[in-house]
Amino acid sequence: MSRFLSYVLSPYKQVEAAYDVVLMRSLMKRSQGEVSDNRVKYADVLSPGATVKQNLPPWARDLTTKLPPRPAFETPDNETLTQCGIALGVLTALTLAQGCSQPPGVDNPPGLQLSLALLGSVWLLRKKNLTLSRSISLALLGLSAGAFVGGAVQGWLRVDIVPLGALSSPSALVSEFGLVGIFAASAFLY
């Protein structure tokens, strides 16, 4: 039985011995300062960001570890894109209908549509297992970014002076961009 086990295990022992030889050669080359592959990351070599962090004073090092993580991007799955797209389409149509139905000079901001979009965005972000505070902050970030771009477009187009077809409401135009920002935040950020 022991002869059978040694016969069965001999290829594994040979592979293990060959691995040890390769590992020792690599260790010898590294200790001599020769690196065969520049893509290999070693544990004792610090990245440029880690060297900067190491040179910071202790209070600044502690501060950087306590900061919340920055928003990260991800490719959404089809279900999320479908849910966000349908909700955005409905709310965009309601906002455009409200903006086009108002007489010139009257500007009633679409607050209901924006609040529904924010609630839906927080709900979708919570489905991605984010905390409530992070979901709210990402939704507000999307709204702020969209409103900033919408305000810039409104400042350039000035639909209150020269209506864009039937659309003469500046708040409806800015809200459209805010809705797109909320959609982008709920679909692409986490």
Side-chain angles (χ1 to χ4, degrees):
M1 182 71 171
S2 65
R3 207 180 317 158
F4 175 74
L5 283 176
S6 65
Y7 176 74
V8 170
L9 295 178
S10 66
Y12 294 110
K13 289 182 181 179
Q14 290 173 352
V15 169
E16 200 171 304
Y19 178 75
D20 287 343
V21 168
V22 170
L23 187 64
M24 288 306 292
R25 281 185 189 158
S26 173
L27 184 61
M28 291 293 287
K29 282 185 178 180
R30 183 151 184 253
S31 65
Q32 293 171 356
E34 300 173 21
V35 178
S36 60
D37 192 1
N38 292 336
R39 294 175 295 162
V40 175
K41 303 288 185 217
Y42 297 105
D44 59 344
V45 178
L46 294 175
S47 66
T51 57
V52 169
K53 191 172 181 180
Q54 196 175 36
N55 294 334
L56 289 175
W59 61 269
R61 250 182 275 147
D62 295 340
L63 181 66
T64 57
T65 57
K66 292 179 184 174
L67 289 175
R70 65 178 186 263
F73 294 95
E74 72 174 355
T75 306
D77 57 341
N78 289 336
E79 180 185 357
T80 304
L81 277 178
T82 305
Q83 289 174 347
C84 289
I86 290 171
L88 175 73
V90 169
L91 291 173
T92 300
L94 287 173
T95 303
L96 272 177
Q98 180 182 346
C100 292
S101 66
Q102 295 174 0
V106 176
D107 192 20
N108 188 11
L112 177 66
Q113 291 91 331
L114 288 175
S115 61
L116 287 175
L118 280 172
L119 286 174
S121 176
V122 168
W123 177 73
L124 283 171
L125 288 169
R126 290 285 291 156
K127 276 181 60 175
K128 294 181 183 180
N129 294 329
L130 296 177
T131 62
L132 182 63
S133 60
R134 185 161 175 86
S135 299
I136 291 171
S137 62
L138 286 177
L140 289 175
L141 175 74
L143 174 64
S144 301
F148 179 76
V149 171
V153 170
Q154 160 55 23
W156 178 59
L157 288 179
R158 297 299 307 246
V159 296
D160 53 343
I161 297 173
V162 180
L164 189 64
L167 181 65
S168 64
S169 171
S171 64
L173 181 68
V174 173
S175 296
E176 292 292 333
F177 283 94
L179 288 171
V180 170
I182 292 171
F183 165 74
S186 61
F188 297 105
L189 295 179
Y190 71 94

